[in-house]
Structure formats: structure tokens, C-alpha cells
Amino acid sequence: MKRYKGLTLRFMIGVLVLVSALLTAIVGGYSAFSSTRNSLALNHLENNYQYAKKISSETNMLLTGMQEKINFIASIVQDHTFTQEEVNWLQQANKDYFNSIFFVDSNRVIQHISPADTGLKAGTQLTSEVSIEAVKLKKPYISNPYLATSERLILLISSPVFDKEGVYKGFVGGTIYLEEDNVLSTMLNEHFYGDGSYVYVVDSHGHIIFHPNKKRVNELVSENTIIQKVVAGNKGYEQAENSLGEKYFTGYSYEARSGWGIVSQTPVSVLKEPLNKLIVSMIMQGLPFLLFILLIAFGVSFIISKPLHQLAKFSEDAIADNKTAPLDRPIIRSRVYEVRQLAHHIHNHFEQLNSENRIDGLTGIANRKTFEQVMQGWIESQLPFCLILLDIDHFKKVNDTFGHVKGDEVLVFTASIMQNFSRVEDVCFRFGGEEFGILVKTGNIETAANLAERLRSEIETSKSPTGEAITISLGIAVYPEDAGQSTEVIEKADFALYQSKAYGRNKTTIYAD
């Protein structure tokens, strides 16, 4: 059965590049899409809020003007008794503002009314709550919408009439038919747009006063959270659902004179078309660039993966042929630093495939074989050096007293201090058992002696893993002054070491004839 070798690096890099490029494009596209969507949404929200504030201001000016007209008529009635013909003339002069104008006495009995087709006539007593309220207040008054006897939804603007002695005589009223064309609807319809944006107005109780869809006039929408906020006197903007469950970008403002709430809104669906155009535009503009990036990326991945593929094939064939140092090495030509280094180290690995481990498994420093190879190499290069051999004093006692596990920890502890005190170019090694050594590269006897003494002092004053201090004895030999061969250098350093032990331990001895 043929062994499954898995996916090639070339294939994996290609897939990685493709996925990375696509994810980058998707994330970048989504980020641009999201940013544009949020920007458009905020723009619609702010625009609707500004519209609501503007219309609130315009509504205030309109109501103020209408109230002033009624107040002016009331001031004339105080000094003049109008005929029906004069009342008809007043109504015609103000027909752009009021659907009807009428005078009533203090008992709410109509004295004059124009036009004649209102459904009311002179001598009729008004019984609506707003007429009662107007008489009761005896001051300029803008009513909430109410249903008149003519079945019309009406807004009343009134002004009291007093005689020269200040006695209340009744009031002058102007009405707006909210379900028909009027000055308010004319003004608000200017803000109706083909994208579905529109404005509507509610009274202080949450009834719709104006809406582009006249069927919704007088509808109670007080459960709408936006309406609750605006009739409470707040202003602002937010994305919300209207009373019919449709999502809108909504701006709202409060008109203090009448207590009305002005709401301007745009359906969220208005973003669909520009966002779709944005997506198409990003795809059309980004696709050629994406393809170019992919082409470059695949070329680079091929350049990287080709030498790696050669190395993988080389190592596979070498192992299959049971070779440790193949002679038919592939020629790896790559400008990539990592690839060149990998090729170099793979070659070295095969050359040393059957060699022994060069590091001592317990302490992590060089083992004896490494020590001998390094020292021999320095001798062959005629490189002067010093050899420090050291031995842990009474190590057998450590093992017997604390056990071999603690003994191993003492060995690791000693090796660690050796590495901390030696130079980068020096080589620390474990010679065997509790014996260690340091090859001091290009160092003179003063350098080696100073290093040995500092090491000895540090170990003596440090608390070992046993909880107690330990001591070491050291011997130093110098190449080439003391010996010309590696074995001789070791023998003389070892001799100096045993001189330290013979004279009481915890000493450093420099070899001398």
C-alpha cells in the first residue's frame, strides 16, 4: 500500500496566498462597505434631524402669524360690528390660512361665519370641548385637533374679544381642516421626497395632525417610542421602527408653542441602491488588482517553495536510500536567506546524521566529546587557550545524604553558574560525573585564573539545591605553554585540580612544573 505523503508546501503556500488575498479583499471590502453604510446612515439621521428642527421653526412662525391674524381681527371686532359681507371679505382675504372664520359670543353662539358651507350657521351654539375651553381661557388659544359636528377634523385658532370696559364678549376663531388642503399641509408637503422620505406632525396627545397619507390623520400613535420622546419635549435622531413596523432614519423636534412633535424620516431601504452600486464598483475596480496581486504572490510562492521542495525530495531520497551523507546534493539557488540557511543545515545534518549528541543531556552544556573536538580544533589552528577543570568537593556525600535526584540538581546548578560567568567565546562542558571544565579561548593565565576564582567564590557563597553551600576545586593548564597536545593539556589541568584537592579543596591551582 502506497504511503500518503500529504500536501506539498508549494500547494499549501499557494492556497495560503489565495485565501489571504481573498480574506484581505473581503475584510477590506466589508470595512469600506460598513464605513459607507454608517456614513450614509448618519447623514440621513442628521439631515432628518435638521429638517425636523427647520420645520419646527417654520411651524412656529406659521402658527404665530396665524394667531396674530386672528388677534388682529379680534381687535377690530372690539370697536366695530361686522356684517356678514365683511366677514366673507375677511375670510377671502385669509383663505390661504384658514378654511373658515367665525365670531361667537360669550355663550358660544355663532354670530357670523364664513364660508356658508361649513355646516354651521349664525345662531348655532358651539358645544365642542375646544370652544368651551376657548371661552374658559379667555386668551389666545391653539386647540388640539377635534372632530366637529360636520365630521371634519379641525384645528381651532382663537382670540378673545373684550369691549371697551374690558367685559368678555366672546371670541374670533379660525379653523384649519386637517384632512383637506391647508396652509400647514402646503408647507409640510414641501419636504416630501421621492425616496420615501416624509414629514408628519403629532399633537401633544400623540394624534397625527399631518401626514402625506391623509387616511392616517387623527390616528393615535402614542405607543411609538419616538412619539413618546418628542411629545415629552425632546429632540434628536435615531434609527427606529414606526408604528407600522417599518424601519426609518428618524429625526424629531418639539414645537413648544403648540406642543406638537415634528418627525422627519427616511426609510432604511433607501441605502440599498447606493450600497449595491458601491459593491459592484468595488468588485469591478478591485478585481483586476486582486488578480495582479495573486499572480505576483503565486510567483513568489513558487520561488520560495521550489528550493524547499528540492530539499524535501533530497532528504526523502537520502533516507529511502539509507544514506547519511549523500554525495548527489541538489544545487540550491535561492536569494532567500532562510532557504539558503536551511539547505546548509540540512547538508550538515546529513553529514552528522550518525554522530553522537554533542550536548550533555543533564546539564545542557557541551559533553566530553564536544570538548575534545573543540580543543583539538583550537590546537590544530594553533589558537592559544586555557583549560579549567573543576570538581565538586565531596559530591558522593551529597548523593548519599540528599539522594541522586538532588545530586543531579547540584550538577545542573553548577553548570548554570559556569555558563553565567564564562564569556560567549568560551566553552563550558561536563567532563564526566561531577567533573566539569571551561575552555577559555585566546585567554591568558590571568584571565583564566580570574574566571576560576570568581566562579569558585560564587558557588561557595550561593545556596545550592540541597539548601547548603557546596565548594569546588579547580586546576588550570595553558596551551601551548604547559603542553602541546590535547591529552597533555588535560593531564596537567587534572594534576593541578588534584593539587587543589590535596591541599584542602575549595581552591584554584595553576599548573606549574
Side-chain angles (χ1 to χ4, degrees):
M1 182 177 179
K2 186 176 180 180
R3 181 172 63 89
Y4 174 67
K5 296 183 178 181
L7 302 174
T8 63
L9 179 62
R10 184 179 302 175
F11 175 80
M12 292 297 292
I13 292 178
V15 171
L16 177 63
V17 169
L18 177 61
V19 171
S20 298
L22 288 176
L23 286 177
T24 301
I26 291 171
V27 170
Y30 177 77
S31 177
F33 175 84
S34 178
S35 176
T36 302
R37 180 185 59 191
N38 293 338
S39 177
L40 290 173
L42 181 60
N43 184 60
H44 281 292
L45 287 168
E46 290 180 339
N47 284 344
N48 280 312
Y49 174 56
Q50 295 301 325
Y51 272 128
K53 288 205 303 182
K54 176 183 177 183
I55 295 170
S56 176
S57 175
E58 291 178 354
T59 301
N60 181 274
M61 294 173 60
L62 176 64
L63 293 175
T64 300
M66 295 172 72
Q67 184 70 70
E68 289 175 350
K69 289 181 181 296
I70 293 297
N71 292 345
F72 177 72
I73 295 173
S75 67
I76 297 176
V77 173
Q78 177 178 317
D79 301 319
H80 177 76
T81 302
F82 277 84
T83 64
Q84 182 62 45
E85 183 179 354
E86 290 175 319
V87 173
N88 291 340
W89 180 85
L90 281 174
Q91 197 279 326
Q92 281 296 315
N94 293 279
K95 66 179 181 179
D96 291 337
Y97 293 93
F98 303 104
N99 294 101
S100 70
I101 293 178
F102 60 90
F103 303 161
V104 299
D105 63 15
S106 59
N107 294 316
R108 305 186 310 280
V109 176
I110 297 176
Q111 303 300 308
H112 297 287
I113 187 169
S114 181
D117 60 354
T118 60
L120 298 174
K121 59 182 180 180
T124 302
Q125 185 182 38
L126 299 178
T127 59
S128 64
E129 291 183 5
V130 297
S131 64
I132 296 173
E133 184 70 14
V135 172
K136 179 180 178 181
L137 291 174
K138 295 182 177 58
K139 63 180 182 181
Y141 171 59
I142 299 176
S143 74
N144 282 321
Y146 67 98
L147 198 63
T149 55
S150 61
E151 299 300 320
R152 289 187 175 102
L153 189 64
I154 291 177
L155 181 71
L156 170 65
I157 298 178
S158 68
S159 182
V161 177
F162 298 90
D163 63 15
K164 293 181 179 180
E165 285 73 30
V167 177
Y168 180 70
K169 296 175 61 178
F171 67 83
V172 176
T175 61
I176 301 173
Y177 300 160
L178 295 177
E179 295 170 305
E180 301 175 18
D181 292 335
N182 54 71
V183 63
L184 184 63
S185 64
T186 300
M187 180 190 73
L188 295 176
N189 271 324
E190 294 176 359
H191 301 277
F192 181 78
Y193 298 94
D195 63 357
S197 300
Y198 65 90
V199 174
Y200 68 94
V201 182
V202 296
D203 66 13
S204 59
H205 299 298
H207 288 91
I208 294 179
I209 298 175
F210 168 79
H211 198 285
N213 180 4
K214 288 185 170 56
K215 293 181 179 179
R216 298 197 62 186
V217 174
N218 204 38
E219 180 180 334
L220 181 64
V221 291
S222 58
E223 292 184 358
N224 188 311
T225 55
I226 297 294
I227 302 304
Q228 293 172 1
K229 291 178 181 179
V230 72
V231 297
N234 297 312
K235 58 179 66 176
Y237 58 80
E238 60 186 84
Q239 182 177 324
E241 290 186 2
N242 67 2
S243 56
L244 300 180
E246 300 167 335
K247 292 183 178 180
Y248 282 86
F249 298 120
T250 304
Y252 51 92
S253 182
Y254 179 71
E255 201 288 298
R257 181 182 184 86
S258 60
W260 295 350
I262 315 296
V263 181
S264 176
Q265 56 187 24
T266 302
V268 173
S269 58
V270 75
L271 299 184
K272 185 176 181 180
E273 183 178 351
L275 289 178
N276 286 342
K277 289 182 178 179
L278 173 65
I279 292 173
V280 173
S281 176
M282 286 192 301
I283 292 175
M284 296 303 294
Q285 294 180 19
L287 188 59
F289 183 71
L290 176 61
L291 293 176
F292 176 74
I293 291 296
L294 287 175
L295 182 63
I296 296 298
F298 273 114
V300 172
S301 69
F302 179 80
I303 293 173
I304 294 174
S305 63
K306 182 179 178 181
L308 294 176
H309 179 76
Q310 289 178 296
L311 290 173
K313 190 70 169 64
F314 163 67
S315 61
E316 181 183 9
D317 293 343
I319 293 173
D321 296 339
N322 197 28
K323 299 177 181 177
T324 58
L327 298 177
D328 53 342
R329 302 174 185 175
I331 299 174
I332 304 300
R333 293 186 176 91
S334 175
R335 293 184 178 274
V336 180
Y337 170 79
E338 289 79 5
V339 173
R340 294 164 61 185
Q341 289 295 100
L342 180 61
H344 172 73
H345 290 300
I346 284 181
H347 292 159
N348 289 343
H349 171 72
F350 277 102
E351 290 174 355
Q352 300 174 7
L353 192 60
N354 294 325
S355 66
E356 296 179 0
N357 195 330
R358 299 171 61 86
I359 302 299
D360 179 62
L362 176 63
T363 61
I365 61 177
N367 60 16
R368 179 169 180 171
K369 183 170 184 178
T370 302
F371 151 68
E372 292 175 346
Q373 289 176 344
V374 171
M375 184 171 61
Q376 187 60 40
W378 290 359
I379 291 174
E380 291 175 358
S381 301
Q382 296 184 345
L383 185 69
F385 64 87
C386 295
L387 171 61
I388 303 173
L389 288 182
L390 60 99
D391 185 274
I392 300 175
D393 296 330
H394 304 297
F395 185 69
K396 184 177 184 302
K397 183 179 179 181
V398 173
N399 280 334
D400 292 341
T401 304
F402 300 99
H404 288 280
V405 174
K406 281 295 181 184
D408 288 346
E409 292 179 7
V410 169
L411 296 176
V412 174
F413 164 76
T414 303
S416 175
I417 295 179
M418 288 170 57
Q419 285 184 302
N420 290 338
F421 276 78
S422 61
R423 303 174 303 172
V424 175
E425 62 268 28
D426 298 337
V427 179
C428 297
F429 60 90
R430 184 182 177 192
F431 197 70
E434 72 274 22
E435 294 186 57
F436 295 87
I438 303 175
L439 282 170
V440 183
K441 188 176 183 180
T442 62
N444 54 34
I445 190 61
E446 290 80 8
T447 301
N450 181 53
L451 171 58
E453 272 302 294
R454 288 192 298 114
L455 177 60
R456 183 193 62 77
S457 177
E458 177 68 18
I459 291 178
E460 179 186 19
T461 56
S462 299
K463 183 183 290 187
S464 75
T466 65
E468 299 177 359
I470 62 171
T471 60
I472 59 173
S473 298
L474 305 95
I476 305 174
V478 183
Y479 170 86
E481 287 86 342
D482 295 333
Q485 301 296 323
S486 60
T487 54
E488 293 177 354
V489 176
I490 295 172
E491 288 174 359
K492 293 186 177 183
D494 193 51
F495 179 81
L497 167 61
Y498 279 93
Q499 288 290 312
S500 295
K501 285 184 173 290
Y503 286 96
R505 295 184 171 85
N506 192 23
K507 295 180 182 295
T508 300
T509 301
I510 300 172
Y511 175 81
D513 290 336

